[in-house]
Amino acid sequence: MATKKAKRKPAKAAAKKSAKKSVKKTKAKSKPKSKPVSAAPRSGGKSVAGAATAGLPRPSTKPWGKAGRALDGVRILDFTHVQSGPTCTQLLAYMGADCIKVERPGVGDITRGQLRDVKGADSLYFTMLNGNKRSITIDSKHPKGREILDRLIKHCDVLVENFAPGALDRMGLTWEHINKLNPRMIVASVKGFGPGSYEDCKVYENVAQCAGGAASTTGFREGPPLVTGAQIGDSGTGLHLALGIVTALYQRMRTGRGQRVLCAMQDGVLNLTRVKLRDQQRLAHGPLAEFSQYGEGVPFGKAVPRAGNDSGGGQPGWILKCKGWETDPDAYIYFITQAPVWGAICDLIGKPEWKTEPDYATPPARLPRLKHIFATIEAWTMTISKFEVMKICNEHDIPVGPILSMKEIAEEQSLRDTGTVVEVDHPTRGKYLTVGNPVKMSDSITEVKRSPLLGEHTEEILGKVLGYSAKEIAEIKASGAITPPEKPAKAEAA
């Protein structure tokens, strides 16, 4: 998709040319032309499958995983930094997009130096969010730097940014300017809040969790709101933005033009917390019976309460101690008392009579007694390890989940085998672990590559992507547009 402008062909023309070739090969001249992929199937008309094949190439005969990656040909102009934006662009790069990360000369993404654990090397904060990318350094305030940015806009498909509100406009890169240079470009942004009274506020991970409804519903009933360790505000919103981008790319195949894509962090968190908005509406019609406070006779207020480790899906659950909990802070397991396997649970914990006793035989009867039920189950789980509990329960289809520490996850061989946890070699910090592509595709295989050094690909991009000659690149370097300003010489001591 990101070819030189002169070589780009309109989507309709390409589809027409492909259709002509297909007609010629099959000699089916009498067949009517297929409708474009954008045409919606009508009642009694062509099937969805038939409409979807119009204008597409023949199925590849190459072996699975050898026909290129999903986003090959898509070029990303990456203005992102810290976490939300880089999460998005790294995922697109994993899918095959050519991701060009624009950084300030001599400085780069601020996370290169944040939480640094190896002196003189890029931090894990940076390396784990910027794999599979290329880095170019550009001074956006330098006239020549602006010229390079404009040329990059013409050669890229998507611009992604997560600057503070208005920052991109202040750089002169307004939507109108970008759209005039490249009408096909998609401009994708992460912001803290959507349009409204809070849109100019700066937002970070925990702020988003609080504003999106996650914190007010996380924690124990008697305690304060809590934020979660999962980065649902930053990384969660980045994943939402990646979906918006690939959807916009697909729509562009039909319309031929780009568009703006916005993901607000508050919106992203709320989307991941939607079950609590569900419960807020249910609360108007009575207490939430699956919450443990219902069984304990504690009245509900006007808003969805914090519910500790209660399951949010209607099946009672709780975190229970396992053998070794006294010294191991993660010797716990999440245990769900799912109704269809209640009989098996009763047998395992030595309470077969509960299968028929009126106070325990049915889910409604068990609700007021959940505290006692889980205490009884815990008396059993404390006698064996969390992995033994999992093995035994899985044999009976009882849903449980061991609390895995980050150390256990880092050492879990199955995650290495699937490419979820990947060891990468870096020229300055050595080997490190990163999270690979969480999306596994049978015909688009991800090869996880290390993060780039600051400005590592500057000359390569100037020459091979933007078409500058060696002489022009030398002049650009001499101008200071891609290099850090020289530090003034120290005055010699008298």
Side-chain angles (χ1 to χ4, degrees):
M1 293 183 185
T3 55
K4 289 186 179 180
K5 196 173 183 182
K7 292 184 179 180
R8 292 180 186 264
K9 293 182 179 179
K12 287 185 178 179
K16 196 178 287 184
K17 188 174 180 181
S18 176
K20 283 182 180 179
K21 283 183 179 179
S22 178
V23 169
K24 191 173 181 181
K25 284 183 179 179
T26 58
K27 297 183 180 180
K29 293 181 181 178
S30 59
K31 283 188 177 182
K33 291 182 178 179
S34 298
K35 290 182 180 179
V37 70
S38 59
R42 295 179 182 178
S43 177
K46 289 186 177 181
S47 68
V48 174
T53 58
L56 293 180
R58 291 177 178 277
S60 174
T61 57
K62 293 181 179 180
W64 293 102
K66 301 295 183 181
R69 291 176 296 168
L71 294 181
D72 278 351
V74 174
R75 185 169 290 139
I76 309 292
L77 185 54
D78 184 358
F79 274 102
T80 69
H81 59 290
V82 191
Q83 184 177 173
S84 62
T87 297
C88 167
T89 51
Q90 178 172 255
L91 183 60
L92 298 175
Y94 280 170
M95 296 297 189
D98 177 16
C99 189
I100 298 175
K101 186 176 180 73
V102 178
E103 300 185 81
R104 192 149 57 101
V107 180
D109 189 321
I110 191 172
T111 58
R112 284 184 182 270
Q114 285 186 338
L115 306 179
R116 182 175 277 161
D117 59 315
V118 177
K119 188 176 180 180
D122 289 333
S123 72
L124 289 168
Y125 197 176
F126 177 83
T127 61
M128 293 180 68
L129 287 164
N130 290 281
N132 292 52
K133 302 179 184 181
R134 296 197 281 175
S135 171
I136 182 173
T137 52
I138 303 173
D139 181 354
S140 62
K141 296 179 181 179
H142 193 288
K144 198 67 180 179
R146 282 298 309 277
E147 176 195 303
I148 295 169
L149 287 177
D150 283 352
R151 195 179 289 203
L152 275 168
I153 288 170
K154 293 176 183 179
H155 284 75
C156 291
D157 297 284
V158 186
L159 185 155
V160 188
E161 60 91 16
N162 62 319
F163 291 124
L168 201 64
D169 289 354
R170 290 192 292 273
M171 291 170 61
L173 299 178
T174 62
W175 162 252
E176 292 75 19
H177 176 75
I178 294 169
N179 188 248
K180 185 177 180 180
L181 288 175
N182 183 358
R184 291 170 55 79
M185 173 161 272
I186 293 154
V187 178
S189 304
V190 169
K191 293 292 176 268
F193 294 96
S197 56
Y198 301 119
E199 64 181 308
D200 292 329
C201 297
K202 186 179 285 187
V203 174
Y204 289 96
E205 169 65 43
N206 290 346
V207 176
Q209 288 193 32
C210 293
S216 67
T217 54
T218 302
F220 288 91
R221 187 173 66 244
E222 305 84 359
L226 295 177
V227 294
T228 174
Q231 304 292 280
I232 60 175
D234 276 323
S235 288
T237 307
L239 298 178
H240 282 90
L241 188 66
L243 174 61
I245 288 169
V246 294
T247 305
L249 284 168
Y250 188 82
Q251 184 176 7
R252 192 181 72 171
M253 293 171 63
R254 175 168 54 84
T255 65
R257 66 187 182 191
Q259 61 181 295
R260 285 177 285 186
V261 180
L262 170 66
C263 277
M265 293 171 71
Q266 182 186 40
D267 298 358
V269 171
L270 178 57
N271 188 42
L272 297 176
T273 320
R274 66 172 56 219
V275 295
K276 299 302 181 181
L277 184 58
R278 172 203 68 192
D279 293 342
Q280 181 63 43
Q281 297 171 84
R282 292 173 55 222
L283 198 55
H285 302 282
L288 307 175
E290 76 278 11
F291 281 44
S292 56
Q293 76 177 73
Y294 171 76
E296 295 169 20
V298 178
F300 285 78
K302 294 181 179 180
V304 176
R306 292 181 279 285
N309 291 315
D310 283 343
S311 172
Q315 300 287 349
W318 203 254
I319 289 180
L320 307 177
K321 298 171 183 174
C322 294
K323 187 176 182 179
W325 67 272
E326 299 93 340
T327 57
D328 182 355
D330 298 304
Y332 290 82
I333 197 157
Y334 196 89
F335 198 108
I336 297 176
T337 56
Q338 192 178 28
V341 292
W342 174 245
I345 294 172
C346 293
D347 291 334
L348 281 179
I349 64 175
K351 290 289 184 180
E353 66 274 15
W354 281 3
K355 290 187 283 186
T356 55
E357 281 187 18
D359 286 348
Y360 298 94
T362 64
R366 291 194 288 271
L367 287 177
R369 299 167 178 83
L370 286 177
K371 195 170 184 179
H372 173 62
I373 289 170
F374 281 119
T376 306
I377 297 173
E378 188 174 59
W380 172 70
T381 60
M382 288 170 64
T383 64
I384 52 180
S385 74
K386 61 188 178 184
F387 295 109
E388 290 174 307
V389 174
M390 186 180 186
K391 181 179 182 298
I392 294 170
C393 287
N394 280 337
E395 291 172 356
H396 298 278
D397 289 330
I398 300 169
V400 298
I403 309 304
L404 295 180
S405 68
M406 277 298 151
K407 183 177 184 297
E408 290 169 322
I409 288 172
E411 296 171 353
E412 174 57 49
Q413 188 58 45
S414 66
L415 296 178
R416 302 289 186 100
D417 295 341
T418 59
T420 299
V421 175
V422 183
E423 187 176 73
V424 183
D425 203 0
H426 191 276
T428 60
R429 68 168 297 117
K431 293 182 179 180
Y432 66 95
L433 294 182
T434 191
V435 180
N437 194 343
V439 182
K440 310 297 192 288
M441 300 174 67
S442 63
D443 206 18
S444 179
I445 310 302
T446 298
E447 178 189 357
V448 176
K449 299 177 182 178
R450 66 168 175 85
S451 60
L453 301 175
L454 179 60
E456 181 177 351
H457 306 95
T458 299
E459 293 188 31
E460 175 183 293
I461 294 166
L462 291 175
K464 294 183 179 179
V465 176
L466 303 183
Y468 285 105
S469 67
K471 181 183 177 183
E472 288 173 320
I473 293 173
E475 292 172 350
I476 290 171
K477 288 176 70 175
S479 74
I482 59 174
T483 55
E486 291 184 10
K487 293 181 180 179
K490 292 182 179 180
E492 291 184 12

